Amino acid sequence: TMEDQRADQVALGAAEAVIDQLGPDDQVAVTDGQRGFLLPMTQVKDKKAIDAKIEAGNLGDPVSYFPFLEQAGKALLATDAPLKHIVVLGDGDAVEPALRVGGDVQGLLEGLLAQNVTTSTVAVDVHNQQAYMAYMADIARWGGGRFYQSNNPSQVPELFLKESLVSLRPWFEQENFFPKVTATGDLLNGVPLSAFPQLGGYVVTTPKAAAEVYFTTPKQDPLLAAWSYGIGRSVAWTSDSNGQW
């Protein structure tokens, strides 16, 4: 139907929006829900070519999510990426796996999670069936990811982007590093900038647009930042203050 075609375009557009957030060192794959991979696991170097493949695709309405989750898991395990993540977009009506039709989804996802492959879901409640949404929530729980629900397909791109921003990067980095000075100012008066102690980790954040970032990490994440707040100033330190890092 025309409504199905519109929903497909929304979904494919959401996939393109997520891929736009990826860098050339990232890899991505997209399944079509009917035959297999619409886009096989690909290094994100030529985004125009990737978008063209996605735009030429047709999406299906699977009876079971199992074969596509299995394909996604195998493709991710074959990569050497440090972060491996699946996002399932669906309406939740493929509930047959609970009866072992197509395969054991729970067992599959829990097995992938044990191998550091996580799974989140973006659920669109087009059937107004709470059982379908509960199944999508279960998938995210079994996969150690997050569950998003909407009654409006037009919110799918927003939810996809929200999930990608959360999942594409770990919450924290735990590796030894030395801070790098990226700005100077009165905040650093009395701080010996010629030598820093080695730190063991930090919480991954992004700086506010108006923030002055004084120290960064080797991955260009902010370590010490400050910005104006009213007539005063607010300061953020993303590493440890208790000795762990």
Side-chain angles (χ1 to χ4, degrees), residues 97-120:
L99 302 174
R100 303 297 187 264
V101 175
D104 177 8
V105 170
Q106 179 177 357
L108 172 67
L109 294 180
E110 290 177 347
L112 288 173
L113 180 59
Q115 299 175 83
N116 296 317
V117 177
T118 52
T119 302
S120 291

Side-chain angles (χ1 to χ4, degrees), residues 14-90:
E16 290 184 16
V18 170
I19 290 168
D20 191 52
Q21 301 292 314
L22 302 177
D25 293 329
D26 296 320
Q27 299 176 63
V28 67
V30 180
T31 61
D32 61 10
Q34 54 182 343
R35 287 185 298 272
F37 283 110
L38 177 62
L39 175 74
M41 191 63 70
T42 303
Q43 199 89 20
V44 185
K45 292 184 177 179
D46 188 344
K47 292 185 179 180
K48 287 186 177 179
I50 291 174
D51 287 349
K53 278 191 175 183
I54 291 175
E55 290 167 4
N58 294 310
L59 301 183
D61 188 12
V63 173
S64 169
Y65 295 142
F66 182 90
F68 305 101
L69 290 168
E70 185 178 45
Q71 290 171 350
K74 287 180 178 178
L76 285 167
L77 290 173
T79 74
D80 58 359
L83 188 66
K84 301 179 177 70
H85 189 61
I86 300 169
V87 184
V88 181
L89 168 63

Side-chain angles (χ1 to χ4, degrees), residues 42-244:
T42 303
Q43 199 89 20
V44 185
K45 292 184 177 179
D46 188 344
K47 292 185 179 180
K48 287 186 177 179
I50 291 174
D51 287 349
K53 278 191 175 183
I54 291 175
E55 290 167 4
N58 294 310
L59 301 183
D61 188 12
V63 173
S64 169
Y65 295 142
F66 182 90
F68 305 101
L69 290 168
E70 185 178 45
Q71 290 171 350
K74 287 180 178 178
L76 285 167
L77 290 173
T79 74
D80 58 359
L83 188 66
K84 301 179 177 70
H85 189 61
I86 300 169
V87 184
V88 181
L89 168 63
D91 56 18
D93 66 355
V95 293
E96 285 81 0
L99 302 174
R100 303 297 187 264
V101 175
D104 177 8
V105 170
Q106 179 177 357
L108 172 67
L109 294 180
E110 290 177 347
L112 288 173
L113 180 59
Q115 299 175 83
N116 296 317
V117 177
T118 52
T119 302
S120 291
T121 54
V122 175
V124 185
D125 191 14
V126 295
H127 298 293
N128 194 27
Q129 290 285 340
Q130 186 53 38
Y132 293 171
M133 296 298 96
Y135 178 54
M136 294 295 282
D138 282 342
I139 291 175
R141 179 168 54 83
W142 296 330
R146 290 156 297 277
F147 166 66
Y148 302 84
Q149 177 180 341
S150 173
N151 298 323
N152 185 352
S154 67
Q155 291 180 335
V156 166
E158 177 187 347
L159 295 176
F160 247 83
L161 281 172
K162 182 178 180 180
E163 167 59 13
S164 71
L165 293 174
V166 172
S167 65
L168 289 176
R169 308 196 63 192
W171 286 102
F172 54 84
E173 294 279 356
Q174 290 197 104
E175 59 184 15
N176 294 331
F177 72 96
F178 290 97
K180 178 181 178 181
V181 179
T182 50
T184 58
D186 59 350
L187 183 67
L188 301 182
N189 285 345
V191 177
L193 302 181
S194 57
F196 288 110
Q198 191 177 53
L199 299 176
Y202 63 94
V203 177
V204 177
T205 63
T206 55
K208 288 178 175 289
E212 189 76 33
V213 180
Y214 292 93
F215 299 159
T216 61
T217 72
K219 294 187 177 181
Q220 309 304 314
D221 295 318
L223 182 66
L224 177 67
W227 59 93
S228 297
Y229 187 83
I231 60 174
R233 185 155 58 163
S234 182
V235 177
W237 168 255
T238 62
S239 191
D240 183 43
S241 61
N242 295 320
Q244 178 182 348

